[in-house]
Amino acid sequence: QVQVAESGGGLVQAGGSLRLSCTASGLTFDDLAMAWFRQAPGKEREGVGCINRDSGQYYGGFAQVRFTISRDNAKNTVYLQINSLQPEDTATYYCAAGRVGMCSTAWRRADRYTVLGHGTQVTVSS
């Protein structure tokens, strides 16, 4: 059974940075496409980005400058670095694990992933 667990969220002042982590278990991590989503209160869930097994990355339009996804296959972990945090980044951030090839096809579709985590809360104060 594939499981993912996010960590690293918290309360941060605007302009600060955070690195979120997501550790996966239950499948061969090297074969997984890993993605990050976020959902702010009262808003739809949106895709932040996706990283495939050879570290090719895909980002949503809003995430192309301040967000960076990376992975450490030896640690079964994917990271989301967020710089210059803004109050509008306040959201619950979710990690998802999917089959090989997800990033180049339907990465924005959260329902297409094998598993979605429970999320970690990021709150940015102004």
Side-chain angles (χ1 to χ4, degrees), residues 44-76:
E44 296 285 322
R45 182 183 295 147
E46 60 182 347
V48 177
C50 187
I51 186 167
N52 61 25
R53 62 179 177 178
D54 62 3
S55 293
Q57 299 154 50
Y58 300 73
Y59 293 97
F62 71 90
Q64 292 185 6
V65 175
R66 299 185 294 110
F67 294 71
T68 303
I69 299 175
S70 60
R71 65 191 293 161
D72 185 339
N73 289 343
K75 296 182 178 180
N76 289 359

Side-chain angles (χ1 to χ4, degrees), residues 5 18 21-22 25-26 29 31 34 38-39 49 62 69 81 86 104 108 111:
L18 274 179
S21 300
C22 170
S25 61
F29 185 77
D31 292 339
M34 301 296 295
R38 71 179 187 180
Q39 188 166 18
F62 71 90
I69 299 175
Q81 177 74 36
Q86 301 168 7
S104 59
R108 288 179 174 84
D111 61 323

Side-chain angles (χ1 to χ4, degrees), residues 3-126:
Q3 293 183 322
V4 296
E6 305 94 336
S7 62
L11 174 64
V12 63
Q13 288 190 328
S17 298
L18 274 179
R19 189 177 78 159
L20 308 182
S21 300
C22 170
T23 301
S25 61
L27 277 181
T28 303
F29 185 77
D30 293 13
D31 292 339
L32 296 174
M34 301 296 295
W36 286 96
F37 293 84
R38 71 179 187 180
Q39 188 166 18
K43 294 189 176 181
E44 296 285 322
R45 182 183 295 147
E46 60 182 347
V48 177
C50 187
I51 186 167
N52 61 25
R53 62 179 177 178
D54 62 3
S55 293
Q57 299 154 50
Y58 300 73
Y59 293 97
F62 71 90
Q64 292 185 6
V65 175
R66 299 185 294 110
F67 294 71
T68 303
I69 299 175
S70 60
R71 65 191 293 161
D72 185 339
N73 289 343
K75 296 182 178 180
N76 289 359
T77 299
V78 62
Y79 304 99
L80 177 64
Q81 177 74 36
I82 314 172
N83 297 324
S84 300
L85 278 154
Q86 301 168 7
E88 51 265 40
D89 295 320
T90 295
T92 301
Y93 285 74
Y94 300 89
C95 171
R99 58 175 174 80
V100 170
M102 280 291 295
C103 290
S104 59
T105 55
W107 78 264
R108 288 179 174 84
R109 293 278 306 274
D111 61 323
R112 298 289 298 272
Y113 287 81
T114 302
V115 63
L116 188 69
H118 295 294
T120 186
Q121 178 66 38
V122 172
T123 302
V124 185
S125 62
S126 57

